């Protein structure tokens, strides 16, 4: 069964995007006239997601005022607020009681047209505890790059020199997680990239889903401008 729930990280400060993020949360910056976070939610709903937990931080009220309880998006939205930044792992651990047995997880500042239905099929076929959507990149020196053994992720090499890169497949910031994996995440500030993923890789439970479609990170002004220029809203692809 495809997950009916998603967890979206939306608490980032977006320091590198100032002045765009001076008075606007990073995931609420608009691409083609719509907040990045709205594009992400629409993509999930197209694949049957019914409930979304949004992890908020700075300027949380602006996100809540826009999305409210999610009715206008055809989904139920609840919020998990961080008083202080907890990182990708800490935010996930903080929301543990709100999460289903299996769920999608997204970085709320990326744009993609990932086929979540197909991603889930890969997850189930591999009996994975976590599946990461990977994207092919040319500038490997700017990303965490996966070392792969077939469909299995052995490790991520952070920002490798081009000649030393184990592949050109980077973490897209989209995941499927089994809730039981949260037992591997400590309380407080932590990053899943440093704690959860290495632990699951050692257990041979971390797998890849290769995404060949659109993917636009927006963490710098240059990347944001590229996304705003080139992003094309996908047609509904729910199976």
């Amino acid at each position: 069964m495809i997950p009916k729930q998603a967890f979206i990280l939306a608490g980032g400060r977006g320091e590198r995007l100032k002045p765009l993020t001076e008075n606007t949360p990073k995931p609420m910056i608009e691409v083609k006239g719509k907040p990045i976070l709205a594009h992400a939610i629409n993509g999930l709903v197209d694949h049957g997601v019914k409930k979304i937990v949004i992890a908020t931080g700075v300027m949380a009220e602006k996100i809540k005022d826009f999305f409210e309880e999610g009715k206008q998006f055809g989904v139920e939205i609840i919020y998990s607020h961080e008083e202080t930044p907890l990182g990708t792992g800490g935010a996930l651990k903080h929301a543990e009681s709100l999460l289903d047995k299996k769920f999608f997880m997204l970085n709320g500042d990326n744009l993609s047209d990932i086929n979540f239905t197909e991603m889930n099929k890969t997850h189930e076929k591999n009996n994975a505890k976590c599946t990461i959507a990977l994207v092919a990149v040319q500038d490997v020196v700017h990303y965490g790059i996966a070392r792969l053994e077939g469909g299995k992720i052995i490790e991520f090499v952070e920002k490798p020199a081009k000649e030393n890169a184990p592949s050109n497949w980077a973490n897209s910031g989209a995941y499927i997680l089994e809730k039981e994996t949260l037992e591997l995440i400590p309380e407080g500030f932590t990053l899943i990239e440093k704690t959860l993923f290495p632990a699951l890789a050692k257990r041979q439970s971390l797998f890849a889903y290769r995404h060949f479609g659109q993917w636009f990170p927006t963490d710098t002004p240059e990347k944001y401008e590229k996304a705003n220029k080139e992003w094309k809203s996908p047609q509904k692809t729910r199976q």
Side-chain angles (χ1 to χ4, degrees):
M1 293 289 292
I2 192 165
K4 299 299 182 184
Q5 186 187 57
F7 175 73
I8 304 180
L9 294 165
R13 293 184 177 277
E15 295 289 345
R16 289 186 289 178
L17 283 172
K18 287 184 176 179
L20 290 173
T21 53
E22 199 71 55
N23 299 301
T24 303
K26 185 179 177 185
M28 295 300 293
I29 294 172
E30 292 190 353
V31 168
K32 298 292 178 70
K34 185 185 299 183
I36 294 170
L37 188 53
H39 288 290
I41 289 172
N42 286 342
L44 290 163
V45 171
D46 285 349
H47 287 273
V49 169
K50 303 295 184 185
K51 298 185 295 181
I52 293 177
V53 178
I54 299 178
T56 58
V58 295
M59 293 181 274
E61 291 305 317
K62 294 194 175 184
I63 294 175
K64 292 179 181 179
D65 289 346
F66 185 89
F67 291 101
E68 298 179 333
E69 296 177 353
K71 291 180 181 178
Q72 69 272 39
F73 292 86
V75 69
E76 176 190 349
I77 294 176
I78 56 177
Y79 299 91
S80 175
H81 183 64
E82 304 165 40
E83 293 296 337
T84 58
L86 293 172
T88 53
L92 186 55
K93 191 74 171 179
H94 183 63
E96 185 171 7
S97 64
L98 303 174
L99 298 171
D100 291 347
K101 186 177 178 180
K102 180 171 73 169
F103 56 93
F104 294 109
M105 177 175 175
L106 297 181
N107 292 348
D109 58 348
N110 290 339
L111 283 163
S112 75
D113 58 358
I114 291 171
N115 188 322
F116 294 108
T117 303
E118 292 302 315
M119 184 178 177
N120 182 62
K121 289 178 182 177
T122 297
H123 181 81
E124 292 189 340
K125 179 186 70 175
N126 291 323
N127 195 27
K129 297 302 180 185
C130 175
T131 298
I132 302 177
L134 302 180
V135 289
V137 296
Q138 293 183 337
D139 50 341
V140 293
V141 297
H142 295 115
Y143 297 97
I145 301 298
R147 187 184 306 278
L148 297 161
E149 187 179 281
K152 195 178 297 178
I153 299 173
I154 305 303
E155 66 172 341
F156 280 98
V157 179
E158 192 63 30
K159 300 179 180 179
K162 192 170 184 178
E163 61 272 17
N164 297 325
S167 72
N168 68 329
W169 290 97
N171 181 351
S172 75
Y175 320 103
I176 298 177
L177 284 164
E178 301 289 330
K179 185 177 181 177
E180 65 190 76
T181 64
L182 273 61
E183 297 173 0
L184 300 170
I185 301 174
E187 299 286 348
F189 183 93
T190 186
L191 304 174
I192 55 174
E193 299 85 349
K194 301 290 186 181
T195 56
L196 181 59
F197 295 164
L200 290 175
K202 286 181 181 178
R203 298 181 182 202
Q204 300 190 2
S205 298
L206 188 65
F207 286 84
Y209 170 75
R210 291 173 172 85
H211 172 58
F212 295 94
Q214 295 185 94
W215 179 70
F216 295 100
T218 61
D219 54 323
T220 67
E222 295 78 17
K223 291 177 184 176
Y224 168 70
E225 290 300 328
K226 179 178 174 64
N228 205 23
K229 181 179 179 181
E230 299 181 16
W231 168 254
K232 296 178 181 178
S233 294
Q235 298 293 319
K236 290 187 179 181
T237 54
R238 182 170 39 173
Q239 300 294 313

